[in-house]
Amino acid sequence: MSRIGKKPVELPSGVTASVSGQTIEIKGPKDTQSFTATDDVTLAVEENAVSVTPRGKSKRARQQWGMSRTMVANMVTGVTNGFKKELEINGVGYRAQMQGNTLKLSLGLSHEVNFEVPAGITVTAPKPTQIIVEGTDSQLVGQVAANIREWRKPEPYKGKGIKYKDEYIFRKEGKKK
């Protein structure tokens, strides 16, 4: 049995959930999100909790059970608190700044990188070496942060590049004479 799937998702005050068929819609103070589950699970709203149950004992049903419950829990967290990823930039001359809806990155390339911020995501650069990605969709926040990091991944010798705030860069020793 799925240990995650067994627990119902509690709905805090100010958050409502409605199920129609296999689609659940969650409304909260920050946003409204919806998720369509597969036919392998059943979604139900009881009082102030959402429960997910499998429709059989197949391997796919058990996989979808835990995943669907986690998706609902992430939507509840997103519409109440939101998600946030922090990135740090290390390197001489490496910096970032916001101009309208575009993140301008100077990363030692022959040109500046202009990164268009997608709808539903807020990107801020409080310092030239810090980028904060915020939003209500966990998957979208993580994907945008990964796309920004992809422009200059941290290298193991000097640690230059864009890294997550809590990421550890394994450092290598350079050449010896």
PDB file of all heavy atoms in Angstrom, residues 53-80:
ATOM      1  N   THR A  53      -8.099   7.258  -3.804  1.00  0.00           N
ATOM      2  CA  THR A  53      -8.094   5.806  -3.628  1.00  0.00           C
ATOM      3  C   THR A  53      -7.890   5.130  -4.974  1.00  0.00           C
ATOM      4  O   THR A  53      -8.375   5.620  -6.000  1.00  0.00           O
ATOM      5  CB  THR A  53      -9.431   5.313  -3.019  1.00  0.00           C
ATOM      6  OG1 THR A  53     -10.506   5.827  -3.801  1.00  0.00           O
ATOM      7  CG2 THR A  53      -9.588   5.758  -1.584  1.00  0.00           C
ATOM      8  N   PRO A  54      -7.154   4.003  -4.987  1.00  0.00           N
ATOM      9  CA  PRO A  54      -6.938   3.292  -6.259  1.00  0.00           C
ATOM     10  C   PRO A  54      -8.177   2.512  -6.667  1.00  0.00           C
ATOM     11  O   PRO A  54      -8.986   2.121  -5.833  1.00  0.00           O
ATOM     12  CB  PRO A  54      -5.770   2.354  -5.931  1.00  0.00           C
ATOM     13  CG  PRO A  54      -5.876   2.120  -4.471  1.00  0.00           C
ATOM     14  CD  PRO A  54      -6.448   3.376  -3.875  1.00  0.00           C
ATOM     15  N   ARG A  55      -8.325   2.270  -7.967  1.00  0.00           N
ATOM     16  CA  ARG A  55      -9.467   1.499  -8.485  1.00  0.00           C
ATOM     17  C   ARG A  55      -9.027   0.096  -8.887  1.00  0.00           C
ATOM     18  O   ARG A  55      -9.346  -0.378  -9.961  1.00  0.00           O
ATOM     19  CB  ARG A  55     -10.045   2.185  -9.712  1.00  0.00           C
ATOM     20  CG  ARG A  55     -10.808   3.422  -9.431  1.00  0.00           C
ATOM     21  CD  ARG A  55     -11.474   3.895 -10.698  1.00  0.00           C
ATOM     22  NE  ARG A  55     -12.199   5.116 -10.478  1.00  0.00           N
ATOM     23  CZ  ARG A  55     -12.640   5.886 -11.448  1.00  0.00           C
ATOM     24  NH1 ARG A  55     -12.436   5.564 -12.704  1.00  0.00           N
ATOM     25  NH2 ARG A  55     -13.297   6.988 -11.165  1.00  0.00           N
ATOM     26  N   GLY A  56      -8.287  -0.555  -8.046  1.00  0.00           N
ATOM     27  CA  GLY A  56      -7.824  -1.903  -8.367  1.00  0.00           C
ATOM     28  C   GLY A  56      -6.483  -2.152  -7.715  1.00  0.00           C
ATOM     29  O   GLY A  56      -5.963  -1.322  -6.955  1.00  0.00           O
ATOM     30  N   LYS A  57      -5.913  -3.304  -8.019  1.00  0.00           N
ATOM     31  CA  LYS A  57      -4.648  -3.682  -7.394  1.00  0.00           C
ATOM     32  C   LYS A  57      -3.502  -3.737  -8.399  1.00  0.00           C
ATOM     33  O   LYS A  57      -2.441  -4.274  -8.102  1.00  0.00           O
ATOM     34  CB  LYS A  57      -4.803  -5.029  -6.705  1.00  0.00           C
ATOM     35  CG  LYS A  57      -5.906  -5.059  -5.674  1.00  0.00           C
ATOM     36  CD  LYS A  57      -5.419  -5.671  -4.401  1.00  0.00           C
ATOM     37  CE  LYS A  57      -6.521  -5.737  -3.369  1.00  0.00           C
ATOM     38  NZ  LYS A  57      -6.431  -4.696  -2.403  1.00  0.00           N
ATOM     39  N   SER A  58      -3.719  -3.195  -9.595  1.00  0.00           N
ATOM     40  CA  SER A  58      -2.669  -3.243 -10.614  1.00  0.00           C
ATOM     41  C   SER A  58      -1.510  -2.327 -10.230  1.00  0.00           C
ATOM     42  O   SER A  58      -1.648  -1.421  -9.403  1.00  0.00           O
ATOM     43  CB  SER A  58      -3.232  -2.815 -11.973  1.00  0.00           C
ATOM     44  OG  SER A  58      -3.568  -1.444 -11.945  1.00  0.00           O
ATOM     45  N   LYS A  59      -0.359  -2.585 -10.831  1.00  0.00           N
ATOM     46  CA  LYS A  59       0.836  -1.785 -10.534  1.00  0.00           C
ATOM     47  C   LYS A  59       0.613  -0.333 -10.936  1.00  0.00           C
ATOM     48  O   LYS A  59       0.967   0.583 -10.205  1.00  0.00           O
ATOM     49  CB  LYS A  59       2.046  -2.365 -11.274  1.00  0.00           C
ATOM     50  CG  LYS A  59       3.327  -1.646 -10.950  1.00  0.00           C
ATOM     51  CD  LYS A  59       4.530  -2.308 -11.582  1.00  0.00           C
ATOM     52  CE  LYS A  59       5.790  -1.584 -11.177  1.00  0.00           C
ATOM     53  NZ  LYS A  59       6.992  -2.169 -11.711  1.00  0.00           N
ATOM     54  N   ARG A  60       0.013  -0.105 -12.096  1.00  0.00           N
ATOM     55  CA  ARG A  60      -0.241   1.261 -12.564  1.00  0.00           C
ATOM     56  C   ARG A  60      -1.176   2.012 -11.613  1.00  0.00           C
ATOM     57  O   ARG A  60      -0.957   3.184 -11.327  1.00  0.00           O
ATOM     58  CB  ARG A  60      -0.829   1.239 -13.973  1.00  0.00           C
ATOM     59  CG  ARG A  60      -1.145   2.611 -14.506  1.00  0.00           C
ATOM     60  CD  ARG A  60      -1.433   2.586 -15.994  1.00  0.00           C
ATOM     61  NE  ARG A  60      -2.078   3.790 -16.438  1.00  0.00           N
ATOM     62  CZ  ARG A  60      -1.465   4.964 -16.618  1.00  0.00           C
ATOM     63  NH1 ARG A  60      -0.186   5.075 -16.377  1.00  0.00           N
ATOM     64  NH2 ARG A  60      -2.140   6.016 -17.032  1.00  0.00           N
ATOM     65  N   ALA A  61      -2.199   1.348 -11.099  1.00  0.00           N
ATOM     66  CA  ALA A  61      -3.136   1.996 -10.173  1.00  0.00           C
ATOM     67  C   ALA A  61      -2.407   2.414  -8.892  1.00  0.00           C
ATOM     68  O   ALA A  61      -2.642   3.499  -8.355  1.00  0.00           O
ATOM     69  CB  ALA A  61      -4.299   1.070  -9.845  1.00  0.00           C
ATOM     70  N   ARG A  62      -1.520   1.554  -8.416  1.00  0.00           N
ATOM     71  CA  ARG A  62      -0.776   1.885  -7.195  1.00  0.00           C
ATOM     72  C   ARG A  62       0.205   3.028  -7.439  1.00  0.00           C
ATOM     73  O   ARG A  62       0.426   3.873  -6.575  1.00  0.00           O
ATOM     74  CB  ARG A  62      -0.053   0.648  -6.661  1.00  0.00           C
ATOM     75  CG  ARG A  62      -1.041  -0.352  -6.038  1.00  0.00           C
ATOM     76  CD  ARG A  62      -0.350  -1.572  -5.500  1.00  0.00           C
ATOM     77  NE  ARG A  62       0.038  -2.427  -6.615  1.00  0.00           N
ATOM     78  CZ  ARG A  62       1.232  -3.004  -6.740  1.00  0.00           C
ATOM     79  NH1 ARG A  62       2.152  -2.849  -5.843  1.00  0.00           N
ATOM     80  NH2 ARG A  62       1.494  -3.754  -7.789  1.00  0.00           N
ATOM     81  N   GLN A  63       0.798   3.071  -8.638  1.00  0.00           N
ATOM     82  CA  GLN A  63       1.711   4.178  -8.975  1.00  0.00           C
ATOM     83  C   GLN A  63       0.947   5.503  -9.038  1.00  0.00           C
ATOM     84  O   GLN A  63       1.390   6.510  -8.495  1.00  0.00           O
ATOM     85  CB  GLN A  63       2.389   3.924 -10.323  1.00  0.00           C
ATOM     86  CG  GLN A  63       3.391   2.817 -10.313  1.00  0.00           C
ATOM     87  CD  GLN A  63       3.846   2.454 -11.726  1.00  0.00           C
ATOM     88  OE1 GLN A  63       3.161   2.745 -12.708  1.00  0.00           O
ATOM     89  NE2 GLN A  63       4.987   1.805 -11.819  1.00  0.00           N
ATOM     90  N   GLN A  64      -0.192   5.494  -9.704  1.00  0.00           N
ATOM     91  CA  GLN A  64      -0.977   6.705  -9.872  1.00  0.00           C
ATOM     92  C   GLN A  64      -1.579   7.189  -8.555  1.00  0.00           C
ATOM     93  O   GLN A  64      -1.832   8.377  -8.385  1.00  0.00           O
ATOM     94  CB  GLN A  64      -2.097   6.477 -10.901  1.00  0.00           C
ATOM     95  CG  GLN A  64      -1.596   6.221 -12.297  1.00  0.00           C
ATOM     96  CD  GLN A  64      -0.839   7.394 -12.864  1.00  0.00           C
ATOM     97  OE1 GLN A  64      -1.240   8.535 -12.719  1.00  0.00           O
ATOM     98  NE2 GLN A  64       0.279   7.118 -13.519  1.00  0.00           N
ATOM     99  N   TRP A  65      -1.792   6.289  -7.620  1.00  0.00           N
ATOM    100  CA  TRP A  65      -2.375   6.605  -6.320  1.00  0.00           C
ATOM    101  C   TRP A  65      -1.501   7.602  -5.570  1.00  0.00           C
ATOM    102  O   TRP A  65      -1.949   8.688  -5.202  1.00  0.00           O
ATOM    103  CB  TRP A  65      -2.528   5.307  -5.539  1.00  0.00           C
ATOM    104  CG  TRP A  65      -3.194   5.400  -4.207  1.00  0.00           C
ATOM    105  CD1 TRP A  65      -3.979   6.423  -3.745  1.00  0.00           C
ATOM    106  CD2 TRP A  65      -3.143   4.433  -3.167  1.00  0.00           C
ATOM    107  NE1 TRP A  65      -4.419   6.129  -2.485  1.00  0.00           N
ATOM    108  CE2 TRP A  65      -3.916   4.902  -2.101  1.00  0.00           C
ATOM    109  CE3 TRP A  65      -2.520   3.198  -3.020  1.00  0.00           C
ATOM    110  CZ2 TRP A  65      -4.083   4.203  -0.920  1.00  0.00           C
ATOM    111  CZ3 TRP A  65      -2.690   2.490  -1.858  1.00  0.00           C
ATOM    112  CH2 TRP A  65      -3.464   2.998  -0.815  1.00  0.00           C
ATOM    113  N   GLY A  66      -0.250   7.285  -5.372  1.00  0.00           N
ATOM    114  CA  GLY A  66       0.660   8.174  -4.651  1.00  0.00           C
ATOM    115  C   GLY A  66       0.939   9.451  -5.426  1.00  0.00           C
ATOM    116  O   GLY A  66       1.012  10.541  -4.860  1.00  0.00           O
ATOM    117  N   MET A  67       1.099   9.327  -6.751  1.00  0.00           N
ATOM    118  CA  MET A  67       1.401  10.495  -7.572  1.00  0.00           C
ATOM    119  C   MET A  67       0.236  11.478  -7.580  1.00  0.00           C
ATOM    120  O   MET A  67       0.431  12.685  -7.446  1.00  0.00           O
ATOM    121  CB  MET A  67       1.720  10.041  -9.004  1.00  0.00           C
ATOM    122  CG  MET A  67       2.334  11.106  -9.895  1.00  0.00           C
ATOM    123  SD  MET A  67       1.215  12.219 -10.757  1.00  0.00           S
ATOM    124  CE  MET A  67       0.199  11.147 -11.701  1.00  0.00           C
ATOM    125  N   SER A  68      -0.985  10.968  -7.690  1.00  0.00           N
ATOM    126  CA  SER A  68      -2.158  11.842  -7.719  1.00  0.00           C
ATOM    127  C   SER A  68      -2.339  12.560  -6.397  1.00  0.00           C
ATOM    128  O   SER A  68      -2.662  13.753  -6.360  1.00  0.00           O
ATOM    129  CB  SER A  68      -3.416  11.037  -8.036  1.00  0.00           C
ATOM    130  OG  SER A  68      -3.302  10.435  -9.299  1.00  0.00           O
ATOM    131  N   ARG A  69      -2.112  11.859  -5.300  1.00  0.00           N
ATOM    132  CA  ARG A  69      -2.225  12.480  -3.976  1.00  0.00           C
ATOM    133  C   ARG A  69      -1.182  13.587  -3.815  1.00  0.00           C
ATOM    134  O   ARG A  69      -1.468  14.659  -3.299  1.00  0.00           O
ATOM    135  CB  ARG A  69      -2.039  11.420  -2.888  1.00  0.00           C
ATOM    136  CG  ARG A  69      -2.404  11.897  -1.489  1.00  0.00           C
ATOM    137  CD  ARG A  69      -1.150  12.280  -0.750  1.00  0.00           C
ATOM    138  NE  ARG A  69      -1.487  12.720   0.603  1.00  0.00           N
ATOM    139  CZ  ARG A  69      -0.785  13.605   1.262  1.00  0.00           C
ATOM    140  NH1 ARG A  69       0.250  14.177   0.701  1.00  0.00           N
ATOM    141  NH2 ARG A  69      -1.110  13.960   2.473  1.00  0.00           N
ATOM    142  N   THR A  70       0.044  13.360  -4.299  1.00  0.00           N
ATOM    143  CA  THR A  70       1.105  14.367  -4.223  1.00  0.00           C
ATOM    144  C   THR A  70       0.782  15.579  -5.089  1.00  0.00           C
ATOM    145  O   THR A  70       1.030  16.717  -4.684  1.00  0.00           O
ATOM    146  CB  THR A  70       2.452  13.759  -4.646  1.00  0.00           C
ATOM    147  OG1 THR A  70       2.719  12.634  -3.813  1.00  0.00           O
ATOM    148  CG2 THR A  70       3.574  14.753  -4.506  1.00  0.00           C
ATOM    149  N   MET A  71       0.186  15.355  -6.262  1.00  0.00           N
ATOM    150  CA  MET A  71      -0.204  16.466  -7.130  1.00  0.00           C
ATOM    151  C   MET A  71      -1.258  17.341  -6.454  1.00  0.00           C
ATOM    152  O   MET A  71      -1.182  18.572  -6.493  1.00  0.00           O
ATOM    153  CB  MET A  71      -0.749  15.943  -8.469  1.00  0.00           C
ATOM    154  CG  MET A  71       0.285  15.283  -9.349  1.00  0.00           C
ATOM    155  SD  MET A  71       1.540  16.412  -9.949  1.00  0.00           S
ATOM    156  CE  MET A  71       0.630  17.312 -11.152  1.00  0.00           C
ATOM    157  N   VAL A  72      -2.228  16.716  -5.792  1.00  0.00           N
ATOM    158  CA  VAL A  72      -3.274  17.466  -5.091  1.00  0.00           C
ATOM    159  C   VAL A  72      -2.660  18.244  -3.923  1.00  0.00           C
ATOM    160  O   VAL A  72      -2.977  19.417  -3.712  1.00  0.00           O
ATOM    161  CB  VAL A  72      -4.398  16.515  -4.609  1.00  0.00           C
ATOM    162  CG1 VAL A  72      -5.376  17.244  -3.708  1.00  0.00           C
ATOM    163  CG2 VAL A  72      -5.121  15.914  -5.793  1.00  0.00           C
ATOM    164  N   ALA A  73      -1.746  17.595  -3.175  1.00  0.00           N
ATOM    165  CA  ALA A  73      -1.095  18.267  -2.050  1.00  0.00           C
ATOM    166  C   ALA A  73      -0.273  19.462  -2.522  1.00  0.00           C
ATOM    167  O   ALA A  73      -0.266  20.523  -1.884  1.00  0.00           O
ATOM    168  CB  ALA A  73      -0.209  17.286  -1.289  1.00  0.00           C
ATOM    169  N   ASN A  74       0.425  19.327  -3.670  1.00  0.00           N
ATOM    170  CA  ASN A  74       1.205  20.435  -4.223  1.00  0.00           C
ATOM    171  C   ASN A  74       0.299  21.574  -4.670  1.00  0.00           C
ATOM    172  O   ASN A  74       0.656  22.747  -4.521  1.00  0.00           O
ATOM    173  CB  ASN A  74       2.063  19.967  -5.397  1.00  0.00           C
ATOM    174  CG  ASN A  74       3.310  19.256  -4.953  1.00  0.00           C
ATOM    175  OD1 ASN A  74       3.697  19.316  -3.781  1.00  0.00           O
ATOM    176  ND2 ASN A  74       3.952  18.565  -5.865  1.00  0.00           N
ATOM    177  N   MET A  75      -0.873  21.253  -5.205  1.00  0.00           N
ATOM    178  CA  MET A  75      -1.802  22.315  -5.611  1.00  0.00           C
ATOM    179  C   MET A  75      -2.320  23.069  -4.397  1.00  0.00           C
ATOM    180  O   MET A  75      -2.438  24.287  -4.434  1.00  0.00           O
ATOM    181  CB  MET A  75      -2.969  21.729  -6.409  1.00  0.00           C
ATOM    182  CG  MET A  75      -2.571  21.267  -7.794  1.00  0.00           C
ATOM    183  SD  MET A  75      -3.943  20.894  -8.904  1.00  0.00           S
ATOM    184  CE  MET A  75      -5.092  20.038  -7.907  1.00  0.00           C
ATOM    185  N   VAL A  76      -2.615  22.358  -3.309  1.00  0.00           N
ATOM    186  CA  VAL A  76      -3.090  23.010  -2.087  1.00  0.00           C
ATOM    187  C   VAL A  76      -2.005  23.931  -1.536  1.00  0.00           C
ATOM    188  O   VAL A  76      -2.267  25.077  -1.161  1.00  0.00           O
ATOM    189  CB  VAL A  76      -3.529  21.958  -1.031  1.00  0.00           C
ATOM    190  CG1 VAL A  76      -3.778  22.608   0.307  1.00  0.00           C
ATOM    191  CG2 VAL A  76      -4.767  21.232  -1.507  1.00  0.00           C
ATOM    192  N   THR A  77      -0.764  23.455  -1.505  1.00  0.00           N
ATOM    193  CA  THR A  77       0.353  24.289  -1.045  1.00  0.00           C
ATOM    194  C   THR A  77       0.548  25.493  -1.955  1.00  0.00           C
ATOM    195  O   THR A  77       0.806  26.600  -1.488  1.00  0.00           O
ATOM    196  CB  THR A  77       1.657  23.468  -0.998  1.00  0.00           C
ATOM    197  OG1 THR A  77       1.443  22.310  -0.199  1.00  0.00           O
ATOM    198  CG2 THR A  77       2.798  24.277  -0.422  1.00  0.00           C
ATOM    199  N   GLY A  78       0.417  25.289  -3.267  1.00  0.00           N
ATOM    200  CA  GLY A  78       0.606  26.369  -4.225  1.00  0.00           C
ATOM    201  C   GLY A  78      -0.417  27.479  -4.096  1.00  0.00           C
ATOM    202  O   GLY A  78      -0.075  28.659  -4.157  1.00  0.00           O
ATOM    203  N   VAL A  79      -1.693  27.125  -3.901  1.00  0.00           N
ATOM    204  CA  VAL A  79      -2.726  28.160  -3.830  1.00  0.00           C
ATOM    205  C   VAL A  79      -2.741  28.861  -2.478  1.00  0.00           C
ATOM    206  O   VAL A  79      -3.335  29.925  -2.343  1.00  0.00           O
ATOM    207  CB  VAL A  79      -4.138  27.614  -4.159  1.00  0.00           C
ATOM    208  CG1 VAL A  79      -4.194  27.090  -5.576  1.00  0.00           C
ATOM    209  CG2 VAL A  79      -4.589  26.579  -3.163  1.00  0.00           C
ATOM    210  N   THR A  80      -2.082  28.280  -1.449  1.00  0.00           N
ATOM    211  CA  THR A  80      -2.021  28.943  -0.141  1.00  0.00           C
ATOM    212  C   THR A  80      -0.714  29.702   0.043  1.00  0.00           C
ATOM    213  O   THR A  80      -0.718  30.906   0.267  1.00  0.00           O
ATOM    214  CB  THR A  80      -2.196  27.939   1.015  1.00  0.00           C
ATOM    215  OG1 THR A  80      -1.245  26.892   0.861  1.00  0.00           O
ATOM    216  CG2 THR A  80      -3.580  27.376   1.045  1.00  0.00           C
TER     217      THR A  80
END
